Amino acid sequence: GQQVMQIPQYQHVQEGEDFTTYCNSSTTLSNIQWYKQRPGGHPVFLIQLVKSGEVKKQKRLTFQFGEAKKNSSLHITATQTTDVGTYFCAGGGKLIFGQGTELSVKP
Amino acid sequence: DVKVTQSSRYLVKRTGEKVFLECVQDMDHENMFWYRQDPGLGLRLIYFSYDVKMKEKGDIPEGYSVSREKKERFSLILESASTNQTSMYLCASSLGTPSYGYTFGSGTRLTVV
């Protein structure tokens, strides 16, 4: 069945450093969504990408959808302690979630 | 704001018990979902529903069933709880068009002893 793999599983950064998480699917995706889950919280929807090669920005966050619509990335510029949490990608009509990347930020 | 409410935040049940997890959303969303979340495994889809009285199996439906008698309520049932069903259970809802994303409830942490 369809699988969505996400790397890395953990990332520890110093505040101010950049952070990137990558998402890869075994099949072409109709769309990709990104969610953030704060420690002790529930996933919160960030954004959806639909078009091949699409790039969207939300302040310091940049989301990309690959040309083949099989991969995606989330890049955070100059991380802050408020960015701490687990970032999930999810794709396809039935929304298959990746395993998530847990980001910790050292002040 | 859309609200998805799960009836219990924490639940402890005994092996073999029948367990009901309730989820209610207040924004007239067509779609509702049940996921379980385990460390290192992400969110795995158990069951989902696109309409009242409609249900479809997700990736890990074994040992679970669901009920959707009203549009706003989606119940997850563990027919005979087992220790490997100890997990965080998350309910979510969405509009028919996926572009608004899923809205998740706060989750129910179920422990089966």
Side-chain angles (χ1 to χ4, degrees):
Chain A
Q2 183 178 52
Q3 287 190 327
V4 176
M5 307 297 291
Q6 201 173 342
I7 56 169
Q9 191 172 356
Y10 303 97
Q11 186 79 55
H12 310 283
V13 300
Q14 194 75 36
E15 190 172 22
E17 291 182 340
D18 292 356
F19 159 77
T20 305
T21 174
Y22 300 91
C23 185
N24 292 289
S25 170
S26 56
T27 59
T28 301
L29 298 169
S30 55
N31 64 79
I32 193 93
Q33 296 185 0
W34 285 91
Y35 291 78
K36 177 183 179 181
Q37 184 175 24
R38 294 182 186 276
H42 55 273
V44 174
F45 175 70
L46 294 176
I47 207 160
Q48 174 172 273
L49 305 172
V50 177
K51 299 176 185 174
S52 168
E54 190 169 12
V55 177
K56 286 189 176 179
K57 292 193 175 187
Q58 287 180 350
K59 296 181 180 177
R60 294 177 295 104
L61 277 61
T62 302
F63 304 85
Q64 290 190 327
F65 201 9
E67 293 290 341
K69 301 182 75 173
K70 293 179 76 172
N71 58 74
S72 181
S73 65
L74 158 59
H75 179 82
I76 302 178
T77 304
T79 54
Q80 300 175 359
T81 54
T82 53
D83 295 324
V84 163
T86 301
Y87 292 86
F88 292 97
C89 63
K94 223 168 60 174
L95 262 205
I96 306 299
F97 279 77
Q99 302 93 324
T101 296
E102 185 178 335
L103 172 65
S104 64
V105 179
K106 190 175 180 182
Chain B
D1 271 358
V2 179
K3 227 179 185 174
V4 177
T5 303
Q6 293 185 231
S7 53
S8 305
R9 187 77 174 106
Y10 298 95
L11 214 51
V12 180
K13 295 292 181 180
R14 294 195 180 275
T15 301
E17 273 193 80
K18 191 168 186 175
V19 181
F20 294 85
L21 302 183
E22 306 288 345
C23 175
V24 177
Q25 50 95 2
D26 65 359
M27 283 299 288
D28 204 34
H29 282 180
E30 294 90 348
N31 309 325
M32 296 189 75
F33 310 84
W34 275 106
Y35 287 87
R36 65 177 280 177
Q37 183 173 20
D38 301 287
L41 297 177
L43 281 72
R44 293 180 290 167
L45 182 63
I46 305 171
Y47 267 97
F48 60 101
S49 169
Y50 289 151
D51 202 353
V52 176
K53 296 196 186 292
M54 176 268 177
K55 60 186 178 185
E56 283 201 39
K57 293 180 180 179
D59 298 316
I60 52 164
E62 297 78 19
Y64 304 94
S65 62
V66 289
S67 171
R68 194 167 181 199
E69 295 296 318
K70 292 185 178 181
K71 190 175 186 179
E72 67 271 18
R73 186 180 296 270
F74 193 36
S75 303
L76 180 69
I77 303 151
L78 285 67
E79 297 292 342
S80 176
S82 63
T83 53
N84 63 14
Q85 291 178 311
T86 292
S87 186
M88 171 66 84
Y89 289 88
L90 290 162
C91 175
S93 73
S94 73
L95 285 170
T97 52
S99 58
Y100 295 100
Y102 288 15
T103 301
F104 283 86
S106 299
T108 295
R109 184 164 292 284
L110 172 68
T111 303
V112 182
V113 298

